[in-house]
């Protein structure tokens, strides 16, 4: 499987994992700023009064997964999240999570990571 397909499959696994934990998936691959500072949020999920913006990484271990989210990427993700919140008039809580899936498809969910 190439890296694109592996990424899509990992996002699918992450969505199922979030659903098991009571989240409703609102958007997948939410893209904003196509012409300036484009950002893509892998998953936007909601549970109760919490909106979670999820970055999914498929890496050999959790450390490499966390290191893969750079400062520049974090900034773009925050801007994209602010756009989503404004466009949807969200007034509840929000956070950024990272879900790292390793080569053996073990899942590690880091809440409030960004």
């Amino acid at each position: 499987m190439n890296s694109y397909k592996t990424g899509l499959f990992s996002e699918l696994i992450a969505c199922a994992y979030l659903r098991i934990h009571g989240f409703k998936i609102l958007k997948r691959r939410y893209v904003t700023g196509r012409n300036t500072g484009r950002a893509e949020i892998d998953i936007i999920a909601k549970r109760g009064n919490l909106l979670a913006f999820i970055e999914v990484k498929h890496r050999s271990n959790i450390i490499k997964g966390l290191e893969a989210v750079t400062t520049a990427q974090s900034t773009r993700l925050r801007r994209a999240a602010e756009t989503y919140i404004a466009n949807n008039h969200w007034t509840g809580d929000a956070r950024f999570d990272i879900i790292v899936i390793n080569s053996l498809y073990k899942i590690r969910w880091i809440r409030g990571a960004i």
Side-chain angles (χ1 to χ4, degrees), residues 17-91:
Y17 190 76
L18 289 165
R19 282 188 196 107
I20 289 169
H21 285 87
F23 280 85
K24 177 182 179 186
I25 307 303
L26 301 178
K27 292 271 186 193
R28 286 189 61 201
R29 299 186 157 242
Y30 174 76
V31 178
T32 186
R34 292 182 193 275
N35 299 318
T36 56
R38 180 183 171 178
E40 177 185 297
I41 298 173
D42 293 331
I43 302 169
I44 301 174
K46 178 182 179 247
R47 181 174 66 190
N49 196 39
L50 174 66
L51 197 60
F53 298 94
I54 315 288
E55 181 65 19
V56 179
K57 294 295 182 187
H58 183 96
R59 297 292 189 273
S60 58
N61 64 55
I62 188 170
I63 300 301
K64 288 182 181 180
L66 292 173
E67 289 173 347
V69 181
T70 64
T71 303
Q73 184 181 18
S74 295
T75 301
R76 286 192 310 273
L77 291 171
R78 284 189 188 281
R79 276 191 252 135
E82 289 168 358
T83 300
Y84 183 87
I85 288 169
N87 289 343
N88 291 279
H89 310 290
W90 179 255
T91 58

Side-chain angles (χ1 to χ4, degrees), residues 1 8 10 71 81 87 106:
M1 198 174 342
L8 286 177
S10 294
T71 303
N87 289 343
K106 181 177 180 184

